[in-house]
C-alpha cells in the first residue's frame, strides 16, 4: 500500500469499484447535484452511458459521476524549529519591515491580509518572516501563483532562504510525485489537488490570468486552506472582489507604495504611430526600429511585448533581418514555446540582447537593468493592470532605478490612460 | 452567442445568406473562427494515394513502401487536415483525457465531406476493448456514428497496444490485431460493394492497411477506400 502520510492534505479520484479502506481518509462523490466537488464547476457534459463528467478539471484526470473523491486528513507534525528554518540573513527596509511585522501578527491572530505593494517593492522578501513564523510552529504553508514562470522564479529564492525546510515545487509542465513538504510552491491550478492542507496560503499575483475571475481556481484556493488557516494575497493592482472583501472586514489591506530601493516607478513614455508597425512587406516601422536600436546601443537588455503569439515569429524575422549586421542576438518566447524556460534563463544571463514576448513575462519576473517596449499597447489584450505590471519590470535594481518604458500605439486607449494615472498616483 | 468548445470564449457564428432562406436546418458551429483556423487544411500538391501534402512528386514515400509490400494493391485514403500541433492537442484532449464532447469538433471538421460521400457501407476502425472500457466510449464510433450509418464489421483483439504510444518503426512492425465480427449482419451487396474505412489519424497507414487486409480476406470482392480526418 502507498504511504498515506505522503498524501496528507491531498485529494484524488478513485473508481467506485475500488473498495480499499484508507485510514484517515474521507470519501465523497466527486460529482454531486451537477457540481464537481474537486473544482466547484457546474457539470453539464455526459458520456454515452449518461454519466456526467467534469470538463473543467479534466487535465487532472477525468472526474466521472459515480467516482469518489478521496481526501486524506491524516495529521502530520513537522519538527518545531526555533528559527523556522530560515537561513536568509538579509535586511529589510523600514517600510518592508513594517509590512513584514504586520503579516506575522496577522498570522498569529488568524487574520487574512492583502498586501498592495508596487511592482518591485520586494514582496518576496517581506514573506520570509511570515513563512518562518509558520515553520517555527511546525505548521504547513503554501505559496501559490497563477504563473509557471513565477513558480520557477520563486522556488530557488526560497530554497536559499529556507535551506533547512523541505520545499516542494509543483506545476503542470514538470512531473513531480506528490510528496509531503512543509512548504509548497506551486501554480494555483495545483491547489485543486489539495484539501484543507495548509495553515497558511499565500497567493502571489492574485490579479493575474488565469486566477483572476476564475471561479474554479478561487474554489480550489478556498478548499486548500485548513478551516482555521490564514490566507495572504499579494498584488500590485488589487482586483475589485478583493477590495470588496477588504470593505467587509474579511481581509486587512496593507499598502506599500515605495520600491525597496526607494526609487520611483518609471513613468511610461508614449509614442503615437500612424503607419502600421509592420508593413505589408514585413518591414518594421522606421521609428520603432530606431527606438529599438537606441536601447541596444545603451546596452540594456530589451523586452519587447507583442500582443499575439503568431506575430512573434513575424517580428522576429523582421528584426533579425534589420539587425543582422550589428551582431544583436534576438529570441522570441510565448506560452506554448517548449523552450520557454531555457530562453528566459538565457535572457537573464544576457545571452540575448532582445527578447520578444507575449504577456507571459508581464509580471513576477525580474531581469536586471531591463528596458521595455510595448508594441501595440492599444491592443485589447493589455488591461490597465497588465500595462502597470509590464512597466514595473523596469528599474528594479538598487543601482539602476530608472529606465525606459515605451508604449507604442495607434489609438490612445482608456487602458493606457488609466495605467499611467495609476503609476503616477503610486509615485506621489 | 455560443461558447467555443476549445477556447471557452464566446463567439458569434457567421450567418450565411443561404442559411436565412433555406428550410434545411443548418449545423451549428461548435468552435470559434480562431480555433477553426488553427487546423490546417491539406492543400496544394498531395500524394495521389494517401492525400499527404508534399513539396513535389505524385506518390509519397510511405505509399511507395506500401506499393512494394502489396504489389501495387494500395489503399486509397482521403484526409482533410494536416496533423499539426493544434490537432495534436485536440486528439490528446479527446483520446487521452477522454473529453467526450470534443467529438463534436471532429464531427464539424469531417461533416461536409462525409455527408457528400457515396459509399455502400461505412466501417469504423475499432478501438481496443481495454481502451474503450477506460474511456467509457469508442473514439471512432463517437465521431462518425452521428454522421453516417456505421457497419461495425471489424473488432480488435484484446491486449493490443495503441499506435499512438509507439514510434514510427514500432508502428510499422505492429502485427494484425483486427478480426471480422461474424455476428454482424451485412447487406448482400456489400460482398462486392464500395466500403469506406473510417479512422481519425493516418500516420504510417499501418492500422488502415491491417483493417483493409482483414476485410479483403473475408470479402474478396469488396472495393475498399479509407477516410481519416488527419494525415
Amino acid at each position: 500500500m502507498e504511504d498515506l502520510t505522503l498524501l496528507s492534505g491531498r485529494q484524488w479520484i478513485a473508481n467506485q469499484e475500488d473498495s480499499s479502506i484508507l485510514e484517515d481518509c474521507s470519501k465523497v462523490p466527486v460529482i454531486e447535484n451537477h457540481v464537481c466537488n474537486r473544482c466547484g464547476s457546474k457539470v453539464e457534459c455526459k458520456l454515452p452511458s449518461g454519466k456526467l463528467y467534469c470538463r473543467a478539471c479534466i487535465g487532472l484526470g477525468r472526474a466521472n459521476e459515480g467516482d469518489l473523491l478521496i481526501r486524506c486528513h491524516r495529521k502530520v507534525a513537522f519538527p518545531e524549529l526555533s528559527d523556522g528554518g530560515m537561513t536568509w540573513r538579509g535586511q529589510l527596509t523600514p517600510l518592508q519591515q513594517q509590512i513584514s511585522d504586520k503579516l506575522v501578527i496577522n498570522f498569529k491572530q488568524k487574520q487574512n491580509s492583502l498586501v498592495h505593494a508596487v511592482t518591485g517593492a520586494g514582496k518576496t522578501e517581506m514573506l520570509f518572516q511570515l513563512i518562518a513564523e509558520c515553520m517555527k510552529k511546525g505548521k504547513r504553508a503554501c505559496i501559490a501563483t497563477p504563473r509557471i514562470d513565477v513558480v520557477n522564479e520563486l522556488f530557488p529564492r526560497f530554497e536559499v532562504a529556507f535551506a533547512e525546510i523541505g520545499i516542494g515545487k509543483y506545476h503542470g509542465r514538470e512531473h513531480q510525485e506528490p510528496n509531503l513538504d512543509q512548504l509548497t510552491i506551486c501554480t494555483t491550478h495545483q491547489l485543486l489537488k489539495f484539501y484543507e492542507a495548509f495553515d497558511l496560503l499565500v497567493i502571489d499575483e492574485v490579479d493575474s490570468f488565469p486566477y483572476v475571475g476564475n471561479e474554479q481556481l478561487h474554489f480550489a484556493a478556498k478548499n486548500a486552506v485548513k478551516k482555521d488557516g490564514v490566507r495572504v494575497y499579494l498584488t500590485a493592482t488589487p482586483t475589485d472582489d478583493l477590495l470588496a472583501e477588504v470593505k467587509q472586514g474579511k481581509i486587512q489591506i496593507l499598502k506599500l507604495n515605495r520600491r525597496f530601493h526607494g526609487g520611483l516607478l518609471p513613468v511610461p513614455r508614449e509614442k503615437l504611430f500612424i503607419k502600421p508597425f509592420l508593413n505589408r512587406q514585413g518591414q518594421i516601422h522606421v521609428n520603432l526600429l530606431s527606438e529599438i536600436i537606441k536601447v541596444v546601443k545603451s546596452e540594456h537588455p530589451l523586452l519587447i511585448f507583442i500582443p499575439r503569439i503568431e506575430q512573434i515569429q513575424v517580428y522576429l524575422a523582421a528584426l533579425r533581418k534589420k539587425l543582422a549586421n550589428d551582431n544583436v542576438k534576438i529570441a522570441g518566447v510565448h506560452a506554448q514555446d517548449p523552450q520557454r524556460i531555457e530562453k528566459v534563463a538565457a535572457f537573464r544571463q544576457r545571452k540575448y540582447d532582445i527578447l520578444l514576448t507575449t504577456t507571459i513575462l508581464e509580471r513576477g519576473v525580474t531581469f536586471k537593468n531591463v528596458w521595455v517596449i510595448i508594441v501595440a499597447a492599444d491592443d485589447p489584450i493589455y488591461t490597465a493592470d497588465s500595462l502597470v505590471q509590464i512597466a514595473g519590470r523596469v528599474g528594479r535594481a538598487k543601482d539602476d532605478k530608472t529606465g525606459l518604458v515605451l508604449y507604442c500605439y495607434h489609438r490612445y486607449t482608456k487602458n493606457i490612460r488609466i495605467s499611467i494615472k495609476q503609476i503616477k498616483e503610486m509615485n506621489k | 452567442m455560443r461558447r467555443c468548445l476549445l477556447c471557452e470564449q464566446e463567439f458569434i457564428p457567421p450567418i450565411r445568406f443561404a442559411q436565412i432562406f433555406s428550410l434545411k436546418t443548418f449545423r451549428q458551429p461548435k468552435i470559434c473562427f480562431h480555433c477553426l483556423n488553427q487546423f490546417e487544411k491539406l492543400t496544394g500538391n498531395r500524394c495521389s494515394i494517401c492525400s499527404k501534402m508534399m513539396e513535389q512528386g505524385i506518390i509519397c514515400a510511405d505509399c511507395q513502401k506500401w506499393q512494394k509490400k502489396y504489389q501495387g494493391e494500395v489503399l486509397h485514403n482521403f484526409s482533410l487536415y494536416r496533423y499539426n500541433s493544434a490537432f495534436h492537442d485536440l486528439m490528446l484532449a479527446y483520446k487521452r483525457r477522454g473529453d467526450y464532447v470534443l467529438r463534436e469538433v471532429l464531427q464539424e471538421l469531417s461533416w461536409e465531406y462525409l455527408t457528400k460521400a457515396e459509399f455502400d457501407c461505412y466501417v469504423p476502425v475499432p478501438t481496443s476493448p481495454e481502451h474503450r472500457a477506460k474511456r467509457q466510449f469508442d473514439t471512432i464510433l463517437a465521431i462518425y456514428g452521428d454522421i453516417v450509418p456505421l457497419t461495425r464489421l471489424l473488432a480488435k483483439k484484446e491486449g493490443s497496444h495503441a499506435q499512438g504510444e509507439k514510434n514510427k518503426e514500432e508502428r510499422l512492425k505492429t502485427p494484425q490485431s483486427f478480426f471480422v465480427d461474424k455476428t454482424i449482419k451485412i447487406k448482400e451487396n456489400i460482398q462486392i460493394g464500395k466500403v469506406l474505412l473510417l479512422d481519425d489519424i493516418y500516420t504510417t497507414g499501418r492500422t488502415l492497411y491491417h483493417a483493409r487486409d482483414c476485410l479483403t480476406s473475408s470479402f474478396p470482392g469488396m472495393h475498399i477506400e479509407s477516410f481519416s480526418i488527419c494525415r
Side-chain angles (χ1 to χ4, degrees), chain A residues 85-328:
Chain A
M86 188 164 82
T87 41
W88 184 72
R89 296 285 173 264
Q91 263 284 310
L92 293 176
T93 65
L95 281 170
Q96 283 178 317
Q97 190 64 49
Q98 258 178 23
I99 305 266
S100 175
D101 290 346
K102 195 76 186 94
L103 282 172
V104 173
I105 294 168
N106 280 359
F107 177 67
K108 285 183 183 162
Q109 294 173 348
K110 300 202 180 297
Q111 161 75 51
N112 299 323
S113 328
L114 165 68
V115 180
H116 177 190
V118 293
T119 52
K123 285 188 294 254
T124 314
E125 287 79 9
M126 287 188 280
L127 288 176
F128 289 157
Q129 274 155 10
L130 169 69
I131 300 290
E133 177 63 27
C134 181
M135 301 291 113
K136 224 185 267 180
K137 303 264 168 64
K139 289 182 171 179
R140 198 172 174 191
C142 173
I143 302 167
T145 160
R147 302 289 176 98
I148 291 176
D149 303 87
V150 181
V151 172
N152 285 331
E153 167 123 351
L154 288 178
F155 180 70
R157 289 170 74 181
F158 275 89
E159 256 188 334
V160 174
F162 289 87
E164 289 161 34
I165 298 287
I167 307 179
K169 171 186 171 200
Y170 304 92
H171 61 69
R173 296 243 165 174
E174 247 174 42
H175 179 74
Q176 201 70 254
E177 284 301 323
N179 197 2
L180 183 68
D181 320 289
Q182 195 177 0
L183 176 61
T184 302
I185 300 178
C186 64
T187 53
T188 43
H189 269 101
Q190 296 292 318
L191 294 176
L192 287 163
K193 297 179 181 168
F194 292 93
Y195 188 76
E196 297 186 358
F198 306 113
D199 300 284
L200 170 67
L201 173 65
V202 180
I203 304 183
D204 195 4
E205 312 283 358
V206 259
D207 55 313
S208 80
F209 176 84
Y211 186 80
V212 64
N214 184 325
E215 283 172 36
Q216 181 194 21
L217 295 179
H218 282 76
F219 178 88
K222 222 168 108 195
N223 266 352
V225 212
K226 284 185 186 164
K227 287 251 152 56
D228 59 348
V230 178
R231 285 173 291 152
V232 174
Y233 300 100
L234 302 181
T235 176
T237 42
T239 50
D240 292 342
D241 59 325
L242 281 175
L243 291 175
E245 281 195 70
V246 170
K247 256 193 184 153
Q248 290 162 15
K250 287 185 195 159
I251 311 179
Q252 192 180 49
I253 189 162
L254 308 172
K255 278 190 192 170
L256 179 63
N257 48 9
R258 269 292 168 273
R259 291 192 145 179
F260 77 93
H261 54 54
L264 297 175
L265 296 169
V267 178
R269 225 179 78 207
E270 304 144 53
K271 191 161 184 158
L272 172 71
F273 286 73
I274 307 294
K275 285 188 186 156
F277 298 115
L278 272 181
N279 65 12
R280 288 217 184 112
Q281 288 81 45
Q283 279 172 331
I284 214 149
H285 196 293
V286 197
N287 290 348
L288 179 56
L289 189 68
S290 72
E291 290 288 349
I292 292 171
I293 291 171
K294 252 189 252 169
V295 178
V296 173
K297 289 233 169 90
S298 75
E299 291 184 349
H300 281 271
L302 175 64
L303 269 178
I304 303 180
F305 283 83
I306 311 277
R308 305 202 71 91
I309 291 177
E310 56 270 21
Q311 292 169 342
I312 296 257
Q313 281 311 321
V314 189
Y315 277 94
L316 198 57
L319 275 176
R320 278 199 179 134
K321 215 163 99 191
K322 286 283 177 200
L323 300 173
N325 308 329
D326 304 314
N327 198 19
V328 178

Side-chain angles (χ1 to χ4, degrees), chain B residues 12 36 38 83 127 150 172 208 219:
Chain B
I12 301 166
L36 189 63
Q38 298 202 331
Y83 189 64
T127 328
L150 299 179
L172 287 169
L208 280 162
F219 312 98

Side-chain angles (χ1 to χ4, degrees), chain A residues 60-72:
Chain A
L60 300 177
R62 195 175 65 192
N64 307 321
E65 194 176 19
D67 286 351
L68 295 169
L69 191 61
I70 317 274
R71 290 166 171 168
C72 183

Side-chain angles (χ1 to χ4, degrees), chain B residues 42 45-54 57-68 70-79 113 196 202 204-205 208-209 212 224-228 231:
Chain B
L42 293 170
N45 187 31
R46 301 161 69 171
C47 170
S48 63
I49 297 171
C50 72
S51 295
K52 184 179 183 161
M53 261 171 31
M54 297 183 300
I58 302 165
I59 296 169
C60 73
D62 284 334
C63 286
Q64 284 174 10
K65 278 185 201 148
W66 292 122
Q67 263 182 333
K68 244 186 220 159
Y70 285 97
Q71 287 93 45
E73 289 294 312
V74 287
L75 172 68
H76 282 267
N77 174 71
F78 188 78
S79 293
Y113 173 76
L196 188 66
Y202 184 118
T204 56
L208 280 162
Y209 272 88
R212 183 201 61 173
I224 303 168
E225 287 181 25
S226 70
F227 170 77
S228 57
R231 172 69 177 102

Side-chain angles (χ1 to χ4, degrees), chain A residues 45-47 53 55 62 64, chain B residues 5 98-101 135-136:
Chain A
C45 291
K46 280 182 185 168
L47 291 169
Y53 75 94
R55 282 197 78 204
R62 195 175 65 192
N64 307 321
Chain B
L5 274 178
D99 198 351
Y100 181 65
V101 284
R135 293 191 190 110
Q136 303 186 26

